[in-house]
Amino acid sequence: MKRILLALLLTLCTPLWAGEVRELTWAEMIPEGAPPPAPPAPIHDLSQLSDALSAEAGPAASQQSPAAPVVKELDGQEVKLPGYIVPLDVTEEGRVTEFLLVPYFGACIHVPPPPSNQIVHVKSELGVLMDALYEPFWIEGPLEVKASSSELAEAGYQMEASKIYPYESPSS
């Protein structure tokens, strides 16, 4: 009888374990032994701000590694990942429903895109208001190890976002 109750309890609890969301870091998306991404060039000189903004209208900067290796074991995992949103598709109401999630502000626009294993191509029904894009967000959903291409960059991962919310660091 105890074994039957234990088996029943485990059967009922398994979906709870399976649905647990893993907090993922950008470093975990690079396979062991693969080269780390080059650090982004900072935009500290405000006298160059107009140059950076006018560059948005010009051709995109070339990507560091458009076919960087990915971590295949992440495929299908329910994850949450912090990052910045680079819009690809915006609704008439001003909501970004398709975007690239990148690890630092300005990637793909002001500085060359990071390697493809540091970019997630995200789609979301609800989206994010354009006005909020200067802040980082947590994006949650099932991660796919699947390459995609946009006019801005190659992405090594894809996600259908189930949740999008402002990033708050643990120290805040």
Side-chain angles (χ1 to χ4, degrees):
M1 181 68 170
K2 286 183 182 179
R3 285 185 185 191
I4 294 172
L5 287 174
L6 182 59
L8 181 61
L9 182 62
L10 288 174
T11 303
L12 293 174
C13 291
T14 301
L16 297 176
W17 294 331
E20 195 170 313
V21 176
R22 173 183 175 186
E23 188 174 311
L24 192 62
T25 66
W26 289 98
E28 292 173 297
M29 297 170 72
I30 303 170
E32 193 174 317
I43 304 175
H44 292 299
D45 185 355
L46 293 181
S47 67
Q48 297 177 359
L49 183 60
S50 65
D51 294 339
L53 293 175
S54 66
E56 287 185 39
S62 60
Q63 189 169 5
Q64 292 177 28
S65 297
V70 292
V71 178
K72 294 182 187 334
E73 294 78 19
L74 293 174
D75 194 48
Q77 289 192 22
E78 194 71 30
V79 302
K80 79 177 199 176
L81 182 67
Y84 290 89
I85 292 173
V86 179
L88 293 176
D89 190 34
V90 182
T91 66
E92 288 181 15
E93 296 82 30
R95 289 193 162 278
V96 179
T97 55
E98 185 175 353
F99 56 90
L100 300 178
L101 185 69
V102 294
Y104 51 87
F105 182 77
C108 304
I109 297 175
H110 303 297
V111 297
S116 58
N117 62 11
Q118 296 292 280
I119 300 176
V120 180
H121 185 166
V122 181
K123 293 182 181 177
S124 166
E125 284 187 35
L126 180 59
V128 178
L129 286 173
M130 280 291 289
D131 298 347
L133 298 186
Y134 294 100
E135 300 298 323
F137 284 88
W138 283 107
I139 309 298
E140 253 183 62
L143 190 67
E144 286 185 77
V145 178
K146 185 176 178 184
S148 72
S149 183
S150 71
E151 58 187 52
L152 295 178
E154 304 296 317
Y157 300 94
Q158 293 183 33
M159 180 188 291
E160 185 70 40
S162 57
K163 293 182 185 176
I164 301 174
Y165 48 97
Y167 174 83
E168 290 186 23
S169 67
S171 61
S172 336

